[in-house]
Structure formats: structure tokens, C-alpha cells
Amino acid sequence: MAAIVSEQVRHATATLASREVPPDPPVCAVNPNPDMEMTYTGNTGNDMGISTMGFRSAKYNPSEWHETNYAKYYQSFVDRDNAERVIHESKRTEKETKETTNKTQAEATKKLAESAKNVEFWKFELNREIGDVIDETDLLLAQKKRLENALRATEVPLHIATDNLNCRQRRQGLDLVQDDVEISLLKEVEIINNVQDLLKNTINQCEKQIRLNRDAKQNLEMDWSDKKEALEIETKSGALRNHHTNKQFHDGAAKFEEIQSTPESWAQFTHDNIARAEHERMASIQLRTLVDNVLEDTSRDMREQADQVECNFNKRLTEMEDAKVKLEENLNKVVKQITSQEKNIAELQQSIRDKEDPLKVAQTRLYNRTYRPGVELCRDPAQYHLVGEVNEIQQSVDALKQKLNNAENSLKDLQDNRMALEKEISCKKNSIFIDREKCLTVRNRFPSRTKLQGYQ
């Protein structure tokens, strides 16, 4: 028992935390024979004769009583000292945890502010890129509208060129020739068809690029919407304080979700969206430049070919006017020659008729001289002269008839030539009318270069 109490005293003294002095151990009477149990040797009976045998075994001696009380005192002291130590450590732990919590909360607030700042930065970049993509898409839509206007404008030149070719099919005779005008008109039709194909392909490219721009804008807007919602949440979370009432316990909130992104993947996602949008925007800018070049080249080619056609028309009209003038001059000469030839024929006919009387006279003379009697029927010089006169007149008539026949044939040729010239002049007039009145008049409605570029 004394060993136990001694051990408690040593342990308590080593762990004492308060300023209270531990109780002193009790001072007991010294047993002269510590190895012998103290016994009472007096009378243990009483007057009644009741036996006291057996009471001694249940009693303690005074030293044990003092030691037990001291153990109780000292245990009380140890418990109080331990309680004070626990209170002291609790306050210190409370202070440390409060400081740690406040520090951690401040760092969390700072991190939330940094996160909100990052979100706001990317939100601003997204908003800027969305505005750029919208502006670029509007510009590309305007270019597409120009292409559509230019495509519609090509219908008029194509109709004009086709109408010119159809009208020139009504040329007559030799004028129905594949001249430079027709070749240039066929080339013009080919150029217009190629231009229409090119414009249609370019319109398809614009429509495809517009869809890509809108897809990129949609991705940016979705990302911007997520950033806006995240910014509101981060701002709300960063502004939340301990004294606010809109807070509560959420069990299981302190965990990492499998679908959560990392800061690198989070930033890379938005960066990729912006990069794709920037790529589409650059492609759209290049396409707009291509559209400008296409419209400039096509309008120039069509306008130059139209000028070439009109130049060939004017050159051809000049040639036909010259040909018509020369034909008319020849026709006038032929008509005059016909008049002369008709007069010549009339004169020849009159000359032939004028030979009839001399021939009749000569033949009558000869006939009358055949009735001379006897020897009077002589071949005298008069007879020879009359015979020669008849032959001479007959030869003159034959020569005149030959000339008359030649003159009549010449007159027929002149009349045929006149008819051919008149027909050819009619063809020239018809061709000139077609080229000047039917073709060039229509070509005055050829669109301007500004309209061919889609500005109207």
C-alpha cells in the first residue's frame, strides 16, 4: 500500500501543471516492530461476557487510514491539475484552430478571388472573340450578298449575248457567216457561264464558312455562358462570410468529382475554343479577300469581253456599210448600163428595120431584072452590084442581129446582176438592221462594272 501511494506522489509531482502545491504526506507513529502486527493486549471482554474474538481482522491501523486519505487528497489534486492542463490546452488549441481556420478561409477567399479573376479574364476574351466573329460573319454575309447580286446581274449579259446570237441567225444569204462578232459572242457566252459557275462555287464556300463561323460562335457563347455562371458562383462564394445567413451544412461536399477538370485542361479548353474561332475568322477574312478578287476579275473579264464584242460589232457594221455602199454604186452603174443597153438594143432593132427597105429595093430590082428578054438578061455590072448590095445588106443585117443577140444577152446578164445586187443590198440592209437595231440597241442594257461586282 505504501509503495502505491509513493508511486502516485512521484507521478503527480512530475506532471503538476498548476501552481497549487500538492498535499504533504501524513506523519504517522513509528511502529517499533514494523515486521510485527500491532495488537491490543488489554481486556477484550465486557461486563456482559460477550466475546470479541474475530473483530481484529476487519480493521486498519492508523497509518493505513492516513495513507488512504492522503491518496484521496492527492488524487483530487491530480485530477484538478489535469483538468487545468486540459483547459489550458483546449484554449490553446481553440486559438490555434481559430487562427488556422481564419487563415485557411482567407486563403480560400483569395483563391476564389483569383479564380474569379481568371474566369473574368477568359470571359472577357470570349466576349471579345464573340464580337469579332459576329462582325466577321456580318462582313462575310455582306460579301455573300454581293456574290448573289453579281450572279443575278450575269443573267442580263447572258440573255443579251444569247439574244444577239439568235437574232444574227436571221441573217440571209452570204451574210450568215461566222464572223468575228459571232466568235466573240460565243466566247462571251462561255465566259459568262464560267463566271456563273465560279460565283456559285464561291457562294457555296461562303455558306460553308458562315456555318463554321456560327458553329465557332455557338461554342464561344456556350463557353461564355458557362464562364458567366461560374463567375457568378465564384463571386457569390468569395463574398460569403461567417456572419451571413445563407450558409448551411452540405455533407459530402468536400470531395473531388471524377468529371472535374484540371486548371490546365480548363484553360486549354477555352484557349482551344478561341483558337478555333480565330482560325475560322482568319479563314473568313481570306475568303472575303478571295471574294473581292473573284468579283474584280469576273467583272473585268465580262466588261472587257463586252467591249470587244461591241468593237467587233462596230467594225462589222463599218464593213457592211462599205459593202452596201459599193453594192449600191455598182447597182447604179448596172442600172445605167441597163438603160444604155436597152437603148442600144432599140437602136440595133431600128437599124435592122432600117435595112429592110434597102434590101427590099435591091431584091426588087434584081427580081424585076429577071424579066429582061433574051439577051438583055445580061450579067452586067449593075447585076453584079445589085447582087453585091443584097449580100452586103444581108451581111449587115446578120451582123446587126448578132450584135442584137449579144446586147440582149448582155442586158439579161445586167438584169440578173441587178437583181443579185438588189438582193445582196437587201441582205446587207437586213444584216445592218439586225446588228445595229436588234443587237447594239439591246447591248446598251449591259450592266455596269459596279453592278457586276455586286454593289447594286
Side-chain angles (χ1 to χ4, degrees), residues 294-354:
V294 166
L295 291 175
E296 179 69 23
D297 294 341
T298 55
S299 62
R300 183 184 63 251
D301 292 343
M302 292 177 64
R303 188 65 260 180
E304 289 179 354
Q305 185 61 29
D307 294 340
Q308 182 64 40
V309 170
E310 292 177 3
C311 179
N312 291 337
F313 262 118
N314 293 327
K315 182 179 178 181
R316 185 61 177 170
L317 282 171
T318 301
E319 291 176 351
M320 288 190 293
E321 288 284 356
D322 293 341
K324 184 176 78 68
V325 169
K326 292 179 180 179
L327 287 171
E328 289 174 345
E329 291 176 354
N330 283 275
L331 178 62
N332 292 331
K333 293 178 180 180
V334 168
V335 170
K336 289 180 181 180
Q337 192 65 38
I338 288 174
T339 302
S340 300
Q341 195 64 270
E342 287 176 346
K343 184 178 179 181
N344 181 48
I345 290 172
E347 291 176 351
L348 288 172
Q349 289 174 347
Q350 185 62 40
S351 296
I352 292 172
R353 285 191 301 269
D354 291 343

Side-chain angles (χ1 to χ4, degrees), residues 229-284:
E229 185 176 356
L231 180 60
E232 292 175 353
I233 293 173
E234 297 285 28
T235 304
K236 179 181 178 182
S237 299
L240 188 63
R241 296 296 182 266
N242 295 332
H243 60 275
H244 291 171
T245 59
N246 56 338
K247 61 183 185 300
Q248 59 182 351
F249 290 108
H250 294 279
D251 295 335
K255 64 180 181 180
F256 294 103
E257 300 290 343
E258 294 181 358
I259 61 174
Q260 284 179 326
S261 60
T262 62
E264 292 77 13
S265 63
W266 172 80
Q268 189 65 35
F269 177 79
T270 303
H271 178 272
D272 292 343
N273 285 336
I274 294 176
R276 284 192 293 269
E278 187 72 16
H279 173 75
E280 299 303 336
R281 192 164 64 86
M282 291 298 103
S284 181

Side-chain angles (χ1 to χ4, degrees), residues 136-144 209-210 213 284 288:
E136 178 58 34
T137 303
D138 292 340
L139 292 175
L140 187 57
L141 285 170
Q143 291 292 75
K144 176 175 173 287
Q209 187 60 50
I210 289 171
N213 287 357
S284 181
R288 284 196 295 113

